[in-house]
């Protein structure tokens, strides 16, 4: 009897495990007005019999007992275009919560039209004003792609027109533009560099502070972007944080390249409001894995220490309002001792110098969004941020040609900080199905404290400035749909900067024409402007009498005209071809007053600030190219992505010579593919993901060996600046992952094998005074990176 009972219990457990399900729920709204859509049909595609529900009076829906695995949803409502959401991953350890926006049809019910399939969620940007060069992405892509390491920037390096600056950092080069020309935006707020070890005036770093587990579907744009984006020339990351689960508590723990982290989310109370919504929270803390290993006794030279924290809360206010608050902050520090540097292998560090750096950034924001009517909603956000960078450097003098240190001399120190208070306001009004207006403003009040001194061989005060300034932006956008096939996106942005007294007016316009149900033609133009980095503006030029002058303070904006033409075609239901060609003309670029190769367009991919004075806005540059994307969305258990970019990036300094920019690699080819295998009948999945990248080498300033030997330090041959190209870059990564679904929890285990061929890609070259030769540092060799995540 006992054996029979135990056998029945075992059979029950096995059947329970083999029939694991999860809840999929969310909200359906009008994409233009944010008003809830009542009675929309949400159905599980491929289910038999059909599984579906209708949204309630608040636009909410709930699908219970959805099978574990990948699913697709269809959302339909009379008078609106159907929405298809594909490749939704359902796990046992976490509920799926979706925010779905629908586009109102401009035709009457008795009209029959053939339109391009804008409703495919994976193809649609959050920002409906984007006409060209916009790629939406889901957080799962940052973990899916081999080599991406859960980092949005490293993931974006796989897209057409984009390449990584180097393996050790996540700076990205977009269409030949400097990485510094990228704009980071989070929840509508323009934020400072959100990367650990992120220097002021740069946009990247070795490790991202952004946590993939907390991001929602976001946009990445590479040119001719809508009028609401200003102070950017090359690209925009417009990121969104998701809302925490407002019905149940869920938890996460994870170990990987980005560190050791724990997270939690859930409702503050289970009591629902009149709108059916509840206040929720979302938080995560992460600490450096190598720092933790060092703390318990594993000493590693050059150990990076960093930690970050993210928090968000959403609180319903009545039936039509939502109060949100969020915080993102992180600190990082590292020490490079010259005696520990491998001169042939370390990408960072110099055996002749000790380097001590400390970075930090923090952003906090509070916003209120209110739906005034079924056609109008607005949002106001107050935010504050602080970023700082501390640096100390020593010159290391050795005994003869040995590695025995004779003495160490402090040669440079820097203390930089930049604080900002901002107010953002935006209002959206849907006039009718054909017309929508959006307007808003952003005002940034900044306070800076910049101190930097070179102490050896003689004292030179590089920066000594404390002050305040203001940047104001205002914009107006109009979307007009002539019919289901032709759409106009237009806008105007005004930007004014108190520091230099300069103002700019920027028009933006784009047209989208749906040729048929599978093809579209897009064209757009934008005039874009970019501020100069604050550290460049306050670099002091030393006069012959020993006094200092701020000759860069009055520099104006770097500006550019950007033209883009593209076609997009759905070859099959899950296979898309996209081709874009672009031309960018840059002008008013800072160059030196004396005859020189130098241009600001050559900066942006290092930790170090630019120490060049006497600049004027007289330089020019051009970027042009063609990009091809062939993408198969996940179906039949596999996907692939092929992107090819052929481009040219040139500039002119004050010497009038047209030169390659450092980022003019000429070509980039990426191929990514992945396959999933279901293991057993419990929802367990084995995934294999592969990535291969080939790109032209960067152009560099050649090292003059003769002069370098004479002065005992690296001297560049600037007469031939950026005429020497490094060897082509090649790297391939392979990632294996295994997902185990159990009742109410999910394990994910992975190993990311980076640069599996151990290709030696050149990072940089410099003169070594101890060996009296030019040394070469290479980028990352073969590196296996483990990963583990538990959600429950």
């Amino acid at each position: 009897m006992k054996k029979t009972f135990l056998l029945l219990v075992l059979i029950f457990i096995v059947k329970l495990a083999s029939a694991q399900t999860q809840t999929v729920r969310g909200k359906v709204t009008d994409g233009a007005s944010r008003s809830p859509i009542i009675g929309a049909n949400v159905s599980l595609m491929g289910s038999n019999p059909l599984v579906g529900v209708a949204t309630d009076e608040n636009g909410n829906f709930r699908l219970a007992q959805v099978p574990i695995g990948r699913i697709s949803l269809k959302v339909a409502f009379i008078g609106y275009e159907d929405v298809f959401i594909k490749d939704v991953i359902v796990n046992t350890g976490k509920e799926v919560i979706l925010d779905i926006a629908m586009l109102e049809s401009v035709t009457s019910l008795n009209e029959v039209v053939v339109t391009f399939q804008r409703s495919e969620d994976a193809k649609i940007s959050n920002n409906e004003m984007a006409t060209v060069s916009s790629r939406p992405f889901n957080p799962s892509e940052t973990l899916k792609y081999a080599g991406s390491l859960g980092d949005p920037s490293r993931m974006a390096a796989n897209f057409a027109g984009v390449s990584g600056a180097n393996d050790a950092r996540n700076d990205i080069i977009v269409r030949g533009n400097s990485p510094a020309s990228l704009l980071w935006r989070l929840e509508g707020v323009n934020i400072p560099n959100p990367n650990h070890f992120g220097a002021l005036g740069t946009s990247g770093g070795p490790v991202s502070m952004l946590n993939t587990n907390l991001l929602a579907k976001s946009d990445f744009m590479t040119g001719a972007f809508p009028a609401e984006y200003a102070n950017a020339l090359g690209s925009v990351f417009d990121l969104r944080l998701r809302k925490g689960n407002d019905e149940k508590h869920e938890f996460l723990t994870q170990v990987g390249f980005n560190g050791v982290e724990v997270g939690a989310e859930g409702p503050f109370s289970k009591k629902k409001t009149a709108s059916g919504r509840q206040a929720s929270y979302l938080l995560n803390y992460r600490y450096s894995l190598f720092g933790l290993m060092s703390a318990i006794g594993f000493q590693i030279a050059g150990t990076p220490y960093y930690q970050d924290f993210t928090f968000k809360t959403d609180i319903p206010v009545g039936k039509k309002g939502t109060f949100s608050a969020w915080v993102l902050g992180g600190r990082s520090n590292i020490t490079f001792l010259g005696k520990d540097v491998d001169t042939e292998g370390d990408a960072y560090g110099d055996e002749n110098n000790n380097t001590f750096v400390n970075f930090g950034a923090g952003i906090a924001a509070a916003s209120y969004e209110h739906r005034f009517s079924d056609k109008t909603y607005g949002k106001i956000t107050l935010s504050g941020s602080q970023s700082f960078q501390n640096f100390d450097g020593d010159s290391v003098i050795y005994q003869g040609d040995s590695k025995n240190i004779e003495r160490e001399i402090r040669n440079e120190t820097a203390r930089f900080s930049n604080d900002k208070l901002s107010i953002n306001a935006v209002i959206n009004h849907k006039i009718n199905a054909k017309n929508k207006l959006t307007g808003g403003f952003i005002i940034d009040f900044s306070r800076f404290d910049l101190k930097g001194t070179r102490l050896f061989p003689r004292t030179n005060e590089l920066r000594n400035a404390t002050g305040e300034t203001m940047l104001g932006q205002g914009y107006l956008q109009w979307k007009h749909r002539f019919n289901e096939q032709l759409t106009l996106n237009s806008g105007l942005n005004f930007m004014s900067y108190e520091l230099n007294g300069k103002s700019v007016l920027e028009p933006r316009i784009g047209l989208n024409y749906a040729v048929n149900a599978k093809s579209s033609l897009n064209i757009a133009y934008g005039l874009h402007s970019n501020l100069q980095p604050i550290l460049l503006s306050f670099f002091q030029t030393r006069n012959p009498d020993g006094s200092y002058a701020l000759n860069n303070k009055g520099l104006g904006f770097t500006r550019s005209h950007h033209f883009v033409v593209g076609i997009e075609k759905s070859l099959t239901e899950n296979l898309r071809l996209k081709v874009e060609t672009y031309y960018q003309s840059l002008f008013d670029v800072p160059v030196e007053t004396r005859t020189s190769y130098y241009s600001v367009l050559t900066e942006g991919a290092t930790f170090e600030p630019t120490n060049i004075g006497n600049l004027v806005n007289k330089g020019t540059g051009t970027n042009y190219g063609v990009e091809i994307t062939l993408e198969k969305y996940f179906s039949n258990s596999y996907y692939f992505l092929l992107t090819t970019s052929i481009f040219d990036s040139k500039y002119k300094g004050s010497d009038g010579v047209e030169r390659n920019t450092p980022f003019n690699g000429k070509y980039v080819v990426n191929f990514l593919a992945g396959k999933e295998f279901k293991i057993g009948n419990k929802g367990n999945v084995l995934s294999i993901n592969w990535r291969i990248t080939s790109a032209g080498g960067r152009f560099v300033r050649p090292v003059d060996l003769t002069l370098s030997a004479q002065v005992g330090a690296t001297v560049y041959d600037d007469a031939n600046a950026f005429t020497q190209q490094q060897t082509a870059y090649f790297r391939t990564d392979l990632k294996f992952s295994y997902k185990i679904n159990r009742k109410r929890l999910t394990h994910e285990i992975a190993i990311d094998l980076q640069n599996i061929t151990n290709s030696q890609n050149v990072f940089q070259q410099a003169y070594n005074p101890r060996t009296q030769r030019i040394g070469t540092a290479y980028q990352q060799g073969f590196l296996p990176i483990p990963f583990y995540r538990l959600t429950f």
Side-chain angles (χ1 to χ4, degrees), residues 295-317:
I296 60 177
F298 293 91
Q299 297 300 320
I300 305 171
T303 296
Y305 296 89
Y306 55 85
Q307 57 185 317
D308 53 65
F309 175 76
T310 308
F311 172 80
K312 183 173 187 272
T313 183
D314 295 277
I315 302 173
V317 180

Side-chain angles (χ1 to χ4, degrees), residues 422-444:
S422 303
I423 179 170
N424 300 34
V426 59
I427 189 163
N428 294 267
H429 178 64
K430 177 182 175 182
I431 301 172
N432 51 41
K434 290 188 175 184
N435 294 281
K436 177 186 176 180
L437 289 173
T438 300
F441 66 84
I442 303 172
I443 301 176
D444 298 327

Side-chain angles (χ1 to χ4, degrees), residues 444 446 448 469-472 494-504 531-534 537-538 553 555-557:
D444 298 327
S446 298
F448 50 87
T469 189
M470 182 183 74
L471 174 66
F494 174 77
M495 183 165 53
S496 180
Y497 192 35
E498 183 184 43
L499 183 67
N500 58 18
K502 303 290 196 304
S503 299
V504 290
L531 290 175
Q532 308 311 326
I534 192 75
S537 297
F538 283 95
K553 186 177 178 181
L555 284 173
F557 299 88

